[in-house]
Structure formats: C-alpha cells, structure tokens
C-alpha cells in the first residue's frame, strides 16, 4: 500500500501543503512521525531534489529512523541523498562544508567531557577567583550553556540555575557577590577555546546562526543548497535554535511538526512561544491540526481534553480516538507512599498472572524518580523486574551509596570501589590516601583483622572511630537492618553536612526506607547481590556497580518506571501516573508563576496521553483534604481569585471512577464561618 493511502484527511492535507511555511500541531498519538515521513516522500515524488531537503530532529536515532522510513517508501535510489540530522550535527556539517564562510576550518569540536576538562583547567589557573565560589566547574558550564541557549543574561542565568529562580534579598546579595567571579572564569573559558581553536556544541549553532543573521552572502550560499527544512518536535526548540531556524524563513520552506500541549522542557531552555506563536513569528505561514488519536481510547482522551480545556491558554485542539471507547480511568486515593507502592505491585502481579499481561505492558510515571524510591524498594523485594528512565535510581543516590559502601566492604573486603567511597567519606582522607590504605588492606590478604589494619593505617582518633564502626557493623552481619542502623548512627552527621543543601527536604527520609528494605533480606550477601549489585556498568570511564535493577537488557520483560519528562514517545497498555496530588500538580514551586502552572498542566497532559487502554491515577488523600484556594497571578500579572491550585479539583464524575484504599476518604463539612475562641474557659483560678 502506498504511504499516502495510510493517511487520514488531516494528515494528507498537511503532507500536500502547497504554501510557503507550515506548522503541524500534532496532538499526542496523532501520527506526527508518519506525517513528516509522508511529507518528505511526497516532496521527492513530486520533483523535489532529495539533497535539498533537510530533516532536523533532537536525536540521531529519530533522524535515522525518519530518513530510512522515507527511503523505504520510495523506489530504490530516489531518496538516497536525503539527509537527517540533529541541530548540532547539521550545523557541524555546514561548518565543514563552508570552511571559509563560517571561519572555522581548523577548529576542533569538543564534547562535554572535553569541555569539563577545559573548564577545570581554567578554574585551576584562576584558583584565586575560583576559590571564592562554592560551585563546581560543571555548574559553571551549565550556566554558560543556559545563558547562550536561552538568550538570558548572566545574572538571570545564575539565578535560575544556581538559586532555582529565588528573588529574595539574601539571594540578590549572593548573586551580586558571585557574578563578577563567574564572569571572569567564563571569559577565561571563552578565551581558552579561541586560543586552542575549540568549538563546543553550542558554538556550532551560534557560528551558523550568527553568519546567517548578519551576512547576506551566507544566506545566498545556503539558499542554493536548501529548498525544504523539515523540523520534528518543534515545541522543544529553545531561543538559540529558533534564532537558527528563523534565519531560513527567507531561504527555504519550513515544515515544522510539534504540539504546544507537550511543551514541557522550559528548564532546558525550550520556548513555548516557538510553537504557540508560530503564525505571528513566521510570515506567510499557516497552522494545521492533527486531532485523530491512534493510541488511546476515548475515555483516556476525554480526561486529557478536559485538562486542557480548563487552561486559560487556548490550545485549540480536542483529540478524538480512532479506536473508540474503552475503560473509564481509575482515580485511586491512597494514604501514603507504602500503601500506594504495594497496591501498584499487587495490580501489576494480578495483571501478569490473571490477565496474561507482560510486565512491559505497564508504564509508571512520576514527576521525579526520587518519589519512586518506595515503589522501587517494594518492586525489588517482590521481584518485579523494572528499569528506570530519567533521574537517579533510589539505590544509586549518592547519600545511599555512601552508607552502603560500608556494608559492601564488610561483605567483601576486596571491593576496591566501595573502599575508596567509604574512606573518602571521612574528613581528611582524599582519594590518594584512600588508595594507599586500601592497598595495605588488600595486600594483607586477610592475615590481619580489618579494624587492626585500619587503626594502623589511620593514626589517632579517626582511625579508632573508623575501626570501631567497621567492627560494630561486622558483628551484626546476619542482621541487615541492624547494620544499616549502626552505619546511619555513626555517619548521619557527616551525611547531613555533606548534603546540607537538601538533607532535610530530600535525603534524610530515604534512610528509613533503606532500613525497611534491608530488613526484608535474611543475609547481607542477598541484600547486596539482589538489591544493589545486579549488573556492572561504566560511569565516568571507571567500572562501578549499579543497582536496583533486576533486568537491564531492553529486550527482556520489565516494568518501565519513568519520569514524565523522559516518557515522551513512550506508550503502554497500562499507564499508572503517581501522586497527582495538590502541591504536585501544579507543584508548590509553580504557584506564583502562571507560566510555570501551565507547563505543569502540560506535564500532566503528556503523562495521561501515554496510556493506550487503562489509565490509573493515584493521589494522596491527606493532601486533598488540606487543599484550599489561593490567589495566584494571571497572565497580566493581576491577582485572580478563581485560579487553580489543583488540576483535579471538581473533576466531573463521569470522567473517572474513584477507589479509596486505607481509611475512607470523605470531604470534611466544616462550619461556614470561623467561631471565636475563648481562652478564658476551662481554668479555675480560685
């Protein structure tokens, strides 16, 4: 069957578009990839030169897939010269092709590792300046890249990346003190790049876009080689990428595919307006919509459509299911994370045994991998295979690995990686000294007990303290939970200091979870073997042991636990969206920013539209009971009394069916007005 015959009317209209520039607003599951493939094939079939068609995507894999599928739909050799690339690789190709035009003939492109090495060199040569900063070289690079990609100034970039957007007086003071030193280091980094004739990844885009914007000769030369530019995932483009694309408005025809309702990467610099204001930004352009959804049942789309309809932003789309009706989504009310995790585990195992579903039929989504730590602990214990996408796995978190390193060396005194991590945890012991101590222990070959060796290698009180801790944990080797307790008691102050920025908010609460997980194992070896060290991988070039993943081969059957931001492109028969509760959707951090609230709405929309047949949404009953209205700013900066502080407030009964586990959840009926309190009652002063 010919490719065009597989298209619906909306898709065909976009594919055969005869105007100058087009944005295809492709809602979730509406076949955007099929449409961009069909567009490229249509152009070639109708006389366009394949070598003058450029496809741009955000990953090399996506680019290759689109190009190969276009070629497969055409007679042999017709699409041989068709090109697909990422933004960075395409710009690199142009720089190589036109060495004089872009002036970078003898420059070397450096990858992120090289960039970090260069920044470390600069920081070392300006140690007097760098020592005044409490940030790492990688953070300097992040600020540098963010400022260039978003076109924000250095002050604002520091505020957003280092201080999470805070605007209080203390933050202002710290930024003012920090900025001059950051500027010195970034200017030195730029100078070093020029001296060494290096281009980093952002430079590739900047060099090309700058020439195109300022040099008519550049535009003339490229217009000879390019007739059509096809751009995938347009909603993820940032201001720098838009600056590059906008240079081609007068050079060639733009065909962009994206979804404003799936614009969720502002933290990476993505600009929602690149899609939502496309027609205003691009003269002689049109916008077509794809609304026929091939992924989900209508009931799943109904709740997704309802979510967008509540927005003050007009998304001008309503998805309709090609597949028809199915199950009404389940809204599950839970009391706590353990209850939620066990219910999810029960549901998956029931589906696996009773309904003959595979583990891979299940996709679990969360705002963060941090939130899934309890779920991962339950999955490990109940032997549910899973992989994680996005964020760090619970047992890979640095503070957990610090403590577990002690358990690892008790289990295996020849575990060199664990020894280095454990020893460098203690103040005054660096990697060089740790390596020497470890060498003494390993060379002894078990002839002397470890505590004695530690006291001999580490003089004074520190050696005694570390030796006593090792001994105390070793004695309890058969009681894994007790070992965690002892280790935590001895290391908690050091952990709290090391991770002081987010100790209370994020890290401290992980250790009770770790203890509960440890208590479920009968031996230390089992805990480490099954729970922690299932496979080896490389990190930063050094072999390390990863954890918390029963199966790593992507071809094996496993549940996927993913952050929502890592889930775009994913879909599953059963999709479970965790903790859709107040202060999460929208997040507490978003309530003072209407743009942030709307991005949180789009994040939830992306999550809901991953489901094919069964959608389960969980939420915390305590947070629902505590919800109250709060005045938040509208688009014009004015206060609004009817703004949402929770997206699922007043959700229509027909859109979901509700189930409550644990104690019954009932809306509390309170008195209409607060009564006066008389504190003089109840006390006899005679």
């Amino acid at each position: 069957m010919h490719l065009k015959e597989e298209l619906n009317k909306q898709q065909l209209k976009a594919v055969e578009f005869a105007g100058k520039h087009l944005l295809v607003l492709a809602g979730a599951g509406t076949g955007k990839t099929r449409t961009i493939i069909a567009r490229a094939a249509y152009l070639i079939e109708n006389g366009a030169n394949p070598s003058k068609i450029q496809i741009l995507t955000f990953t090399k894999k996506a680019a290759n897939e689109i190009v190969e599928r276009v070629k497969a739909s055409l007679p042999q050799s017709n699409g041989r010269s068709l090109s697909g690339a990422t933004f960075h690789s395409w710009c690199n190709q142009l720089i190589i092709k036109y060495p004089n035009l872009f002036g970078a003939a003898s420059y070397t492109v450096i990858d992120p590792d090289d960039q970090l090495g260069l920044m470390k060199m600069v920081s070392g040569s300006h140690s007097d300046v760098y020592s005044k900063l409490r940030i790492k070289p990688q953070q300097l690079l992040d600020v540098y890249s963010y400022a260039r990609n978003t076109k924000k100034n250095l002050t604002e970039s520091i505020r957003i990346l280092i201080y999470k957007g805070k605007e209080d007086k203390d933050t202002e003071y710290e930024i003012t003190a920090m900025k001059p030193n950051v500027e010195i280091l970034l200017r030195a980094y730029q100078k070093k790049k020029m001296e060494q004739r290096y281009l980093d990844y952002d430079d590739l885009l900047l060099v090309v876009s700058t020439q195109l914007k300022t040099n008519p000769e550049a535009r003339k030369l490229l217009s000879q080689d390019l007739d059509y530019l096809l751009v995938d995932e347009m909603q993820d483009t940032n201001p720098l990428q838009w600056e590059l694309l906008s240079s081609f408005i007068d050079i060639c025809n733009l065909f962009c595919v994206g979804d404003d309702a799936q614009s969720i990467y502002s933290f990476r610099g993505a600009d929602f307006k690149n899609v939502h204001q496309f027609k205003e930004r691009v003269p002689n352009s049109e916008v077509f919509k794809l609304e026929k959804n091939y992924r989900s049942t209508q009931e799943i789309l109904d709740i997704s459509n309802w979510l967008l309809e509540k927005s003050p932003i007009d998304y001008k789309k309503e998805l309709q299911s090609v597949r028809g009706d199915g199950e009404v989504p389940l809204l599950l009310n839970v009391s706590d994370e353990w209850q939620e995790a066990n219910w999810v585990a029960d549901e998956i195992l029931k589906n696996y045994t009773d309904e003959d579903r595979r583990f891979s039929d299940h996709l679990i989504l969360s705002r963060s991998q941090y939130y899934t730590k309890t779920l991962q602990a339950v999955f490990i214990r109940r032997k549910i295979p899973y992989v994680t996408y996005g964020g760090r796995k619970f047992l890979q978190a640095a503070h957990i690995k610090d403590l577990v390193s002690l358990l690892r060396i008790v289990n295996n005194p020849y575990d060199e990686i664990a020894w280095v991590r454990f020893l460098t945890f203690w103040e005054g012991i660096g990697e060089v000294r740790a390596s020497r101590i470890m060498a003494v222990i390993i060379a002894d070959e078990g002839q002397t007990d470890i505590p004695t060796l530690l006291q001999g290698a580490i003089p004074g009180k520190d050696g005694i303290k570390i030796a006593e801790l090792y001994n105390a944990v070793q004695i309890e080797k058969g009681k894994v939970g007790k070992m965690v307790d002892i280790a935590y008691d001895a290391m908690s102050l050091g952990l709290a200091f090391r991770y002081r920025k987010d100790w209370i908010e994020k890290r401290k609460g992980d250790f009770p979870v770790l203890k509960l997980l440890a208590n479920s194992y009968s031996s230390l070896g089992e805990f480490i073997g099954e729970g922690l060290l299932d496979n080896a991988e490389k990190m930063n070039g050094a072999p390390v042991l990863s954890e918390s993943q029963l199966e790593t081969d992507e071809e094996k059957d496993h549940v996927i636990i993913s952050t929502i931001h890592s889930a775009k492109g994913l879909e599953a028969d059963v999709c479970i969206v965790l903790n859709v509760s107040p202060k999460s959707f929208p997040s507490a951090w978003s309530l003072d920013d209407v743009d942030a609230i709307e991005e949180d709405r789009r994040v939830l929309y992306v999550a809901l539209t991953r489901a094919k047949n069964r959608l389960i949404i969980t939420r915390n009953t305590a947070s629902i009971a505590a919800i109250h209205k709060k005045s938040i700013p509208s688009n014009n900066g004015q206060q609004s009394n009817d703004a949402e502080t929770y997206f699922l407030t007043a959700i229509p009964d027909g859109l979901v069916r509700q189930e409550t586990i644990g104690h019954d959840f009932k809306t509390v009926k309170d008195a209409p007005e607060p009564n006066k309190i008389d504190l003089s009652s109840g006390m006899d002063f005679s």
Side-chain angles (χ1 to χ4, degrees):
M1 185 168 64
H2 194 274
L3 191 61
K4 283 175 58 178
E5 297 175 13
E6 300 177 359
L7 304 176
N8 62 43
K9 289 182 180 179
Q10 292 176 333
Q11 294 168 334
L12 187 61
K13 183 183 176 184
V15 166
E16 295 182 340
F17 176 70
K20 183 70 172 174
H21 307 301
L22 180 66
L23 170 67
V24 181
L25 278 179
T30 57
K32 69 173 181 63
T33 303
R34 178 190 299 176
T35 303
I36 201 168
I37 290 167
R39 172 66 173 177
Y42 172 81
L43 291 172
I44 295 169
E45 286 177 328
N46 285 271
N49 185 341
S51 67
K52 293 187 175 184
I53 300 173
Q54 179 64 52
I55 297 169
L56 288 182
T57 68
F58 278 83
T59 67
K60 184 178 179 180
K61 181 181 177 183
N64 291 339
E65 180 187 349
I66 291 172
V67 169
E68 290 306 312
R69 287 176 63 181
V70 172
K71 290 178 179 178
S73 71
L74 297 169
Q76 195 173 6
S77 80
N78 278 22
R80 185 176 296 169
S81 58
L82 181 67
S83 174
T86 64
F87 281 82
H88 293 96
S89 64
W90 182 50
C91 287
N92 189 43
Q93 291 167 20
L94 292 174
I95 290 170
I96 294 170
K97 187 174 182 178
Y98 301 99
N100 292 333
L101 175 64
F102 296 110
S106 59
Y107 279 69
T108 300
V109 179
I110 56 175
D111 64 18
D113 286 340
D114 293 330
Q115 292 175 47
L116 182 58
L118 196 64
M119 183 61 80
K120 286 179 177 179
M121 289 171 59
V122 168
S123 301
S125 62
H126 294 73
S127 57
D128 56 329
V129 176
Y130 181 69
S131 63
K132 298 174 184 176
L133 298 172
R134 295 193 303 275
I135 59 176
K136 299 176 180 178
Q138 183 60 59
Q139 290 175 290
L140 287 168
L141 281 175
D142 292 343
V143 168
Y144 181 64
S145 180
Y146 184 83
R148 302 167 91 203
N149 278 280
T150 61
K151 303 297 182 178
K152 296 184 184 296
N153 61 35
L154 180 56
T155 300
E156 195 61 20
S157 299
I158 291 172
R159 183 192 318 282
I160 292 169
L161 285 197
I162 306 299
Y163 293 96
K164 312 301 181 187
K166 293 180 181 177
E167 296 183 351
D168 57 276
K169 287 184 179 179
D170 289 343
T171 301
E172 291 296 327
Y173 176 81
E174 290 188 28
I175 291 174
T176 302
M178 176 186 286
K179 179 180 173 290
N181 294 317
V182 172
E183 183 177 351
I184 290 170
L185 292 171
L186 295 187
R187 288 187 181 276
Y189 174 75
Q190 289 192 146
K191 184 181 178 184
K192 193 75 172 176
K193 281 195 300 177
M194 291 296 293
E195 290 172 351
Q196 301 293 324
R197 304 182 77 81
Y198 289 147
L199 294 175
D200 61 31
Y201 285 178
D202 296 335
D203 289 328
L204 298 173
L205 273 64
L206 280 162
V207 166
V208 175
S209 65
T210 301
Q211 282 295 336
L212 288 171
K213 190 166 61 175
T214 60
N215 187 346
E217 182 66 18
R219 294 193 292 273
K220 183 180 177 181
L221 284 171
L222 264 65
S223 67
Q224 299 172 2
D225 290 342
L226 192 64
D227 291 334
Y228 298 94
L229 190 56
L230 280 59
V231 185
D232 195 16
E233 303 288 6
M234 185 66 184
Q235 76 280 349
D236 295 335
T237 53
N238 62 35
L240 175 57
Q241 289 161 336
W242 171 251
E243 184 176 272
L244 175 69
L245 291 175
S246 64
S247 303
F248 289 91
I249 292 173
D250 298 326
I251 295 176
C252 64
N253 296 60
L254 295 180
F255 183 90
C256 304
V257 179
D259 184 5
D260 49 356
Q262 297 189 69
S263 178
I264 61 174
Y265 291 107
S266 66
F267 66 94
R268 293 182 187 169
D271 187 355
F272 172 70
K273 297 184 182 69
N274 290 348
V275 169
H276 204 66
Q277 297 180 1
F278 183 88
K279 198 164 184 177
E280 291 79 11
R281 292 185 172 193
V282 182
N284 301 315
S285 66
E286 294 187 48
V287 178
F288 291 174
K289 291 185 290 185
L290 303 183
E291 295 179 303
K292 291 187 181 295
N293 178 285
Y294 292 85
R295 176 186 297 152
S296 308
T297 59
Q298 190 58 51
E299 285 79 2
I300 292 168
L301 297 182
D302 285 343
I303 188 173
S304 306
N305 290 333
W306 171 81
L307 181 68
L308 290 188
E309 288 167 5
K310 291 179 68 184
S311 171
I313 296 173
D314 186 4
Y315 290 97
K316 298 177 181 178
K317 66 165 63 72
E318 184 170 346
L319 298 181
Q320 298 295 322
S321 175
V322 174
R323 298 176 54 216
D325 296 335
E327 293 183 22
V328 175
L330 171 64
L331 183 57
L332 181 74
N333 300 304
V334 299
S335 301
D336 57 54
E337 292 173 28
W338 284 101
Q339 195 180 74
E340 175 187 58
N342 279 292
W343 187 94
V344 169
D346 287 341
E347 178 73 9
I348 290 172
L349 290 172
K350 182 185 73 175
N351 293 343
Y352 185 79
T353 55
D354 297 350
E355 298 185 16
D356 202 30
R357 295 183 188 268
R358 291 166 56 85
F359 288 119
S360 56
D361 291 333
H362 301 82
L363 171 63
I364 299 173
L365 299 176
S366 175
R367 289 296 298 263
S368 69
Q369 281 293 3
Y370 168 78
Y371 181 80
T372 69
K373 64 184 186 298
T374 304
L375 182 74
Q376 293 186 50
V378 170
F379 276 19
I380 292 169
R381 190 61 207 141
R382 299 183 68 175
K383 294 182 170 54
I384 297 175
Y386 73 95
V387 293
T388 59
Y389 293 172
R392 269 203 177 277
K393 297 182 282 289
F394 169 51
L395 294 171
Q396 271 188 337
H399 56 295
I400 299 292
K401 295 181 78 169
D402 286 343
L403 186 144
V404 170
S405 66
L406 173 57
L407 275 61
R408 284 175 53 176
I409 60 177
V410 168
N411 185 66
N412 176 16
Y414 299 99
D415 187 341
E416 296 184 17
I417 296 165
W419 267 118
V420 171
R421 188 171 196 112
F422 174 68
L423 290 170
T424 54
F425 174 81
W426 305 98
E427 190 175 354
I429 302 179
E431 289 189 6
V432 174
R433 191 181 177 194
S435 298
R436 290 172 182 164
I437 298 168
M438 179 185 66
V440 170
I441 294 170
I442 292 175
D444 185 76
E445 296 184 344
Q447 297 180 42
T448 312
D449 64 277
I450 300 292
T452 301
L453 290 172
L454 286 169
Q455 286 191 55
I458 310 170
K461 293 181 180 179
D462 289 343
I464 295 171
K465 179 173 67 177
I466 295 170
E468 287 178 348
L469 172 58
Y470 182 95
N471 193 54
V473 172
Q474 187 182 43
I475 291 171
E476 302 292 345
K477 195 170 179 178
K479 304 172 183 175
V480 189
K482 181 69 172 177
M483 296 173 76
V484 170
D485 255 350
I486 295 169
Y488 180 71
D489 285 345
M491 298 172 70
S492 58
L493 285 176
L495 289 165
F497 181 77
R498 175 173 283 195
Y499 304 104
R500 54 194 177 277
K501 288 184 178 180
D502 57 0
W503 173 248
I504 299 295
E505 297 84 357
K506 289 187 176 181
R507 298 181 188 263
K508 187 178 180 181
D510 286 352
F511 290 97
V513 176
L514 181 65
K515 183 184 175 181
L516 284 166
L517 178 60
N519 275 331
S520 68
Y521 289 91
S522 58
S523 72
L524 178 60
E526 185 190 4
F527 174 61
I528 292 177
E530 186 176 316
L532 301 175
L533 309 178
D534 290 308
N535 66 292
E537 60 183 34
K538 282 189 174 285
M539 187 175 292
N540 297 326
V544 299
L545 293 168
S546 85
E547 64 272 5
S548 66
Q549 187 172 311
L550 296 181
E551 297 188 51
T552 59
D553 187 342
E554 294 196 1
E555 295 182 359
K556 293 183 180 179
D557 189 24
H558 51 236
V559 179
I560 293 175
I561 302 175
S562 175
T563 63
I564 300 172
H565 283 91
S566 298
K568 286 181 65 178
L570 296 178
E571 59 183 36
D573 194 42
V574 181
C575 181
I576 303 172
V577 188
L578 301 178
N579 194 34
V580 185
S581 306
K583 296 186 178 180
S584 185
F585 288 98
S587 74
W589 301 104
S590 300
L591 291 182
D592 293 325
D593 185 341
V594 67
D595 291 334
I597 289 172
E598 289 309 308
E599 178 149 332
D600 281 352
R601 186 191 307 277
R602 296 193 294 270
V603 169
L604 181 56
Y605 173 82
V606 168
L608 301 180
T609 55
R610 300 308 95 195
K612 295 166 69 175
N613 291 310
R614 185 177 297 173
L615 173 63
I616 300 168
I617 304 165
T618 74
R619 64 178 180 178
N620 187 284
T621 54
S623 63
I624 305 167
I627 190 173
H628 62 277
K629 291 285 184 179
K630 177 184 175 182
S631 182
I632 59 176
S634 63
N635 280 304
N636 60 10
Q638 300 297 309
Q639 297 293 313
S640 172
N641 291 321
D642 60 353
E644 297 172 286
T645 55
Y646 178 44
F647 292 145
L648 298 189
T649 298
I651 186 169
D653 291 337
L655 287 184
V656 295
R657 59 186 178 89
Q658 291 201 48
E659 183 179 325
T660 300
I661 58 175
H663 62 265
D664 290 337
F665 169 68
K666 295 179 181 178
T667 304
V668 178
K669 278 194 173 182
D670 200 2
E673 300 290 336
N675 292 317
K676 292 182 180 179
I677 297 174
D678 182 6
L679 297 180
S680 65
S681 61
M683 179 70 193
D684 185 355
F685 287 96
S686 61

